[in-house]
Amino acid sequence: MKRNMLHRLVAMAAAGTMLMSVAACGSSSDDNAATSNSSDTSLISVNNSEPQNGLIPSDTNEMGGGRVIRYLFEGLVSFDAKGKQHLEVAESITPNEDATKYTIKLKKGWKFTNGEAVTAHSFADTWSFAANVKNAQKTSSRFSTIKGYDELQNPNVDPKATLSGLSTPDDYTLVVELNKPDSVFPTKLAHQSMFPLPSVAFKDIKKFGQAPIGNGPYKFKSWSHDKNIIIVPNKDYKGSRKVSNNGIEYRVYTNEDSAYSDVLSGNLDVMDQIPQSAVKTFRQDSSVIAYSQAGSSFQSFVIPERLEHFGNDEEGQLRRQAISMAINRDQIVKKVYNNTKTPATDFTSPLVPEYVKKLEKNGDNLKYNASKAKELWKKANAIKPWSGNFRIAYNADGGHKEWVDAVCNQIKNTLDIDAAGEPYATFSDVRNQVTNRTIKTAFRAGWMLDYPSAEDYLNPLYASSSADGHGSNDGDYKSAEFDKLLNAALAQTDVKKRTEDFTKAQEVLAKDLPVIPLWNDNVAAASATNVKNVSFDYTNLPTYNPITLCRLVCAVSLPFGN
């Protein structure tokens, strides 16, 4: 900042003037991090990974792209940091008696950043595009409860075929007919797969993903691959998520320690996950502002059923249960993570109302029990002798080595087998193999909550409709028993009964163990000392809208306002 500007700021401070953000940090100087190519130093810089695909809401199921998309687009509803629902593009959402039909009235005046009006057709066209198998969207199963979805899964379907359950009586009315009751549908509308796209997106979706046009609180500015993504405020935004800063620069890091070093030196403004090397010290470090609170991210590792010894049969079930019982989650959380995580007791998190602290049936499968693990492994060997080794694939750029090594050592020592981690250089490297179903080992998995409901953990990760590349059921787990209980829960309009059915569905998961639950990530984050108004929502991510920056201004005690 130039000297004459500093003099003006001091004068304004003396006069008690209220200001917004003024200056941010410079770009990173670390070779492992992106160097900002923006000359606007008032941008808030945050850590990120390179998105796996283009910035298309329905084709994104990982955080590198998701962190950005959630601010470029706005849906029919949103949830604030405390989990309270707000109507956004929707004016009203009215269900019929059995939750099989919803009439949604839209507000007028919403526009995409290219000037196109956001209408009921915007949603109907986007949802049909996402659901059509010819478009191979990664979150297509999110639309599986809408009539016509099954027909759109026919490999010979017309690429332009649409969901028969969607109708638009007028430009601002969307009628949604479901193929089964879904009382959680109004909550699910907050998911990014249901964000609307402008008509230009369907002309060349790949091109659109490189420079998306949205209707959210920010708009796209630039994307330098493997370096950064920059978004700036959308002045025409009409929703509840008001912006009070000049924009966000998402910097791509391949090393978490490098990102944290940049926070310490003031070269990165916000980091939403503390590296393992700093979990024991970040709360006491005066060089940063530390944040720690209960969180919702669910961490596990997936053992695909296609792997030898782990099929959907008695042998596979015994081995999964043995591996789960061989893991001392409490010990790893304490020694590796300094209690910045919470050992998993179910398949959700403490931040949803349906969370279960102890599953009555099969809950012991999630507890450490070395002797029982050995017994179960021996029973599996009696069915078919163990051969080969056990590997957990992980991305080396995400700070997972320590826990993978700890988990594998426990499995190795308890079950007396060859168990070890298998690192991949980047998140994209491992995700591409997972997506293509070419990975030949178990692999780490994480899930960030999209909206405060157990459904968001259970349906996309374990429902049969989410398998085979149609959702995030990457192990292709299929259980008629689980599906039946999940559907029963969704049909319940009574919250207590719905929770009971969700719990029964989770007890099936605890028996089959399509994934091995590990822990929920608590919020463990840091910001530079010049960053103000940082808060975290139920997804464990910062709510960037209110964040502002105060660099030289703070040094002269300038009053701060939003």
Side-chain angles (χ1 to χ4, degrees):
M1 187 176 290
K2 293 182 180 179
R3 180 170 303 212
N4 59 347
M5 175 61 75
L6 177 58
H7 287 321
R8 287 203 299 271
L9 290 174
V10 173
M12 293 167 69
T17 305
M18 301 293 285
L19 286 185
M20 297 281 282
S21 60
V22 274
C25 304
S27 60
S28 169
S29 59
D30 193 288
D31 291 338
N32 290 312
T35 299
S36 172
N37 55 9
S38 168
S39 59
D40 186 354
T41 57
S42 65
L43 296 173
I44 296 168
S45 56
V46 302
N47 65 297
N48 204 28
S49 57
E50 176 71 6
Q52 182 186 9
N53 305 290
L55 299 175
I56 303 166
S58 58
D59 200 34
T60 299
N61 60 357
E62 47 80 31
M63 291 180 64
R67 281 186 178 101
V68 184
I69 286 171
R70 70 203 301 254
Y71 287 110
L72 290 177
F73 296 87
E74 189 66 274
L76 292 163
V77 303
S78 73
F79 285 88
D80 61 26
K82 296 181 179 180
K84 179 182 178 181
Q85 189 180 64
H86 296 267
L87 294 177
E88 298 293 358
V89 182
E91 185 172 76
S92 63
I93 303 170
T94 306
N96 63 354
E97 290 185 1
D98 64 353
T100 59
K101 183 177 181 179
Y102 290 84
T103 300
I104 304 171
K105 294 289 186 179
L106 274 64
K107 298 172 184 174
K108 297 179 181 179
W110 278 79
K111 292 183 179 181
F112 294 103
T113 55
N114 65 349
E116 179 181 331
V118 179
T119 67
H121 307 289
S122 306
F123 288 93
D125 293 346
T126 300
W127 295 2
S128 288
F129 173 87
N132 193 308
V133 69
K134 286 295 182 66
N135 298 317
Q137 298 296 283
K138 291 182 177 61
T139 64
S140 64
S141 65
R142 291 281 183 172
F143 305 92
S144 62
T145 57
I146 300 177
K147 280 187 177 180
Y149 176 82
D150 291 342
E151 289 78 1
L152 294 189
Q153 303 315 296
N154 186 327
N156 298 316
V157 71
D158 185 334
K160 295 184 179 179
T162 60
L163 288 164
S164 59
L166 299 179
S167 59
T168 52
D170 58 62
D171 286 347
Y172 294 95
T173 302
L174 175 66
V175 179
V176 186
E177 295 185 64
L178 307 180
N179 51 38
K180 57 186 175 183
D182 188 352
S183 59
V184 186
F185 185 76
T187 302
K188 293 160 64 174
L189 291 173
H191 190 262
Q192 66 184 38
S193 62
M194 295 189 166
F195 291 162
L197 298 179
S199 57
V200 67
F202 310 116
K203 296 179 181 179
D204 189 338
I205 193 67
K206 289 186 177 180
K207 181 180 179 181
F208 178 85
Q210 298 302 306
I213 297 166
N215 65 323
Y218 295 84
K219 61 182 180 180
F220 177 83
K221 182 177 181 180
S222 65
W223 184 359
S224 297
H225 285 280
D226 299 311
K227 291 185 177 180
N228 65 4
I229 298 173
I230 294 175
I231 62 176
V232 295
N234 174 14
K235 296 180 180 179
D236 296 323
Y237 173 71
K238 295 184 176 298
S240 66
R241 298 189 291 160
K242 303 301 182 183
V243 175
S244 55
N245 52 62
N246 290 340
I248 305 170
E249 178 195 358
Y250 294 90
R251 293 186 190 164
V252 176
Y253 285 85
T254 59
N255 184 293
E256 287 188 330
D257 287 319
S258 298
Y260 188 65
S261 293
D262 276 358
V263 178
L264 290 173
S265 64
N267 287 324
L268 182 69
D269 296 322
V270 180
M271 186 174 184
D272 58 38
Q273 184 174 344
I274 298 298
Q276 194 277 331
S277 61
V279 294
K280 294 182 180 180
T281 60
F282 82 102
R283 294 187 185 94
Q284 292 79 38
D285 197 325
S286 61
S287 300
V288 299
I289 301 175
Y291 306 91
S292 182
Q293 64 190 59
S296 63
S297 291
F298 177 78
Q299 301 296 331
S300 65
F301 61 90
V302 180
I303 309 177
E305 293 181 2
R306 63 180 179 273
L307 299 185
E308 186 179 4
H309 299 295
F310 291 102
N312 187 16
D313 52 23
E314 184 181 3
E315 182 201 0
Q317 190 174 96
L318 287 169
R319 294 200 187 281
R320 292 167 189 275
Q321 292 174 3
I323 285 174
S324 180
M325 290 185 185
I327 302 170
N328 191 333
R329 296 163 179 80
D330 291 336
Q331 184 183 74
I332 295 174
V333 164
K334 181 179 180 180
K335 292 189 175 182
V336 177
Y337 290 112
N338 198 35
N339 294 316
T340 57
K341 301 180 187 297
T342 303
T345 61
D346 73 350
F347 292 76
T348 68
S349 82
L351 293 194
V352 296
E354 304 93 344
Y355 169 69
V356 182
K357 196 168 184 179
K358 184 183 186 306
L359 292 168
E360 294 299 325
K361 290 181 63 178
N362 306 313
D364 287 344
N365 289 337
L366 306 187
K367 294 182 179 179
Y368 175 60
N369 188 332
S371 60
K372 184 68 173 179
K374 292 176 181 178
E375 176 187 334
L376 296 176
W377 195 259
K378 184 177 180 180
K379 286 183 178 180
N381 283 340
I383 298 172
K384 183 178 181 180
W386 173 255
S387 60
N389 54 44
F390 185 75
R391 297 288 182 264
I392 300 177
Y394 66 95
N395 51 303
D397 63 347
H400 301 288
K401 183 181 187 307
E402 289 79 8
W403 77 256
V404 172
D405 286 349
V407 165
C408 288
N409 283 334
Q410 290 180 347
I411 294 172
K412 179 180 179 179
N413 295 333
T414 300
L415 303 179
D416 194 26
I417 62 173
D418 178 6
E422 186 164 305
Y424 286 72
T426 67
F427 180 76
S428 293
D429 289 340
V430 67
R431 279 305 306 174
N432 287 336
Q433 288 215 28
V434 169
T435 300
N436 297 331
R437 302 303 193 263
T438 55
I439 197 161
K440 298 179 181 179
T441 67
F443 54 90
R444 67 151 292 267
W447 188 255
M448 182 180 72
L449 187 63
D450 298 294
Y451 41 82
S453 169
E455 185 277 339
D456 187 52
Y457 293 102
L458 305 181
N459 198 0
L461 293 178
Y462 312 113
S464 297
S465 59
S466 299
D468 303 322
H470 298 300
S472 298
N473 184 348
D474 292 328
D476 296 325
Y477 169 71
K478 296 172 185 174
S479 166
E481 183 182 11
F482 171 79
D483 289 343
K484 181 179 179 180
L485 290 168
L486 177 63
N487 291 333
L490 296 177
Q492 288 286 1
T493 55
D494 182 280
V495 175
K496 182 178 179 180
K497 292 180 179 179
R498 183 194 307 155
T499 300
E500 291 173 353
D501 284 332
F502 275 142
T503 299
K504 292 177 182 177
Q506 289 206 71
E507 289 173 342
V508 174
L509 295 179
K511 176 190 67 176
D512 296 342
L513 292 173
V515 307
I516 307 299
L518 295 173
W519 40 71
N520 296 112
D521 292 342
N522 297 339
V523 171
S527 70
T529 55
N530 62 297
V531 183
K532 304 299 177 183
N533 300 337
V534 179
S535 61
F536 293 80
D537 62 18
Y538 58 89
T539 70
N540 280 31
L541 292 179
T543 51
Y544 293 117
N545 304 354
I547 294 179
T548 50
L549 301 172
C550 176
R551 196 174 190 178
L552 290 175
V553 176
C554 289
V556 294
S557 302
L558 186 67
F560 191 85
N562 288 326

